[in-house]
Amino acid sequence: MLKRVLLSLAILIVSVFLILPALLPSEFNVERSTVIKKDRSDIYSRIVNLESWPEWDPWFEMEPTAEVSFDGIPGVVGSSSSWSGDKVGSGKQTLTKLIAPEYIQTELEFFTPQPSKATGFWTFTESPEGTLVTWGMKGKLDYPIGRLMGLFMDDMIGKPFEKGLNNLKTLAEK
């Protein structure tokens, strides 16, 4: 009897880890926005230059001793930043599309702790209060673990985005 109960429980657990992910989205999209009382050209120029990110980016703040390098001409498609650290893992971000001063797109490659790729993006919209700045990331979620992790993406990425936008706002409005 105990064997049957344990077998049934094992089948239930395996089913949850195989069936539930099949019902979850295969992509994620996380965005956060804030209004910054500065011209959008000013904000755009701060973001498009990846070398300025250590001044406000929450992941640089999390591990200031991480190794960081920059490649290419700042603010030009193809320029990139790479990082490696104990807390932030390792990866690379490359500028892939620029529409000044409205839109920035990057390709993100995460090498450790979990290899993956995503698309980062920024939009800059004029508003009566200043510039509405949106920071986002989207990508595909592998089956089954990635889809289960997708349940936590909004918190894992959204909270640091909020912190980074607040840091950027404080810096830009000085």
Side-chain angles (χ1 to χ4, degrees):
M1 176 74 163
L2 182 60
K3 272 185 168 179
R4 285 186 180 159
V5 169
L6 290 175
L7 181 61
S8 296
L9 186 59
I11 290 171
L12 178 65
I13 290 171
V14 168
S15 297
V16 166
F17 281 104
L18 294 177
I19 294 171
L20 178 62
L23 302 174
L24 294 172
S26 61
E27 297 180 347
F28 73 94
N29 184 30
V30 176
E31 296 180 20
R32 294 296 189 273
S33 300
T34 193
V35 173
I36 299 177
K37 295 177 184 171
K38 279 293 210 178
D39 181 73
R40 72 181 177 166
S41 294
D42 180 66
I43 306 302
Y44 176 92
S45 66
R46 290 175 187 269
I47 306 305
V48 77
N49 180 358
L50 299 175
E51 293 181 14
S52 73
W53 284 45
E55 297 174 356
W56 57 267
D57 185 290
W59 284 281
F60 286 107
E61 191 175 297
M62 181 189 312
E63 188 171 4
T65 59
E67 292 180 34
V68 180
S69 63
F70 302 96
D71 190 37
I73 301 168
V76 175
V77 168
S79 64
S80 64
S81 63
S82 298
W83 64 90
S84 180
D86 295 329
K87 294 179 186 174
V88 296
S90 64
K92 181 178 182 179
Q93 176 173 232
T94 305
L95 294 177
T96 57
K97 184 176 181 180
L98 305 174
I99 304 171
E102 301 167 14
Y103 183 79
I104 296 171
Q105 182 175 295
T106 66
E107 177 183 282
L108 293 155
E109 297 177 87
F110 302 99
F111 308 129
T112 62
Q114 178 64 38
S116 64
K117 290 186 178 184
T119 300
F121 59 92
W122 291 82
T123 62
F124 309 89
T125 308
E126 293 179 354
S127 76
E129 299 83 28
T131 301
L132 176 65
V133 180
T134 300
W135 187 7
M137 183 188 297
K138 58 187 175 183
K140 296 190 181 306
L141 298 167
D142 293 332
Y143 174 86
I145 302 300
R147 291 190 188 183
L148 289 170
M149 291 298 296
L151 295 170
F152 308 100
M153 279 302 204
D154 195 71
D155 274 345
M156 288 185 338
I157 299 170
K159 289 182 192 255
F161 277 9
E162 289 170 12
K163 182 166 181 44
L165 286 168
N166 286 332
N167 291 347
L168 183 62
K169 179 181 177 87
T170 299
L171 183 66
E173 291 180 353
K174 275 186 181 176

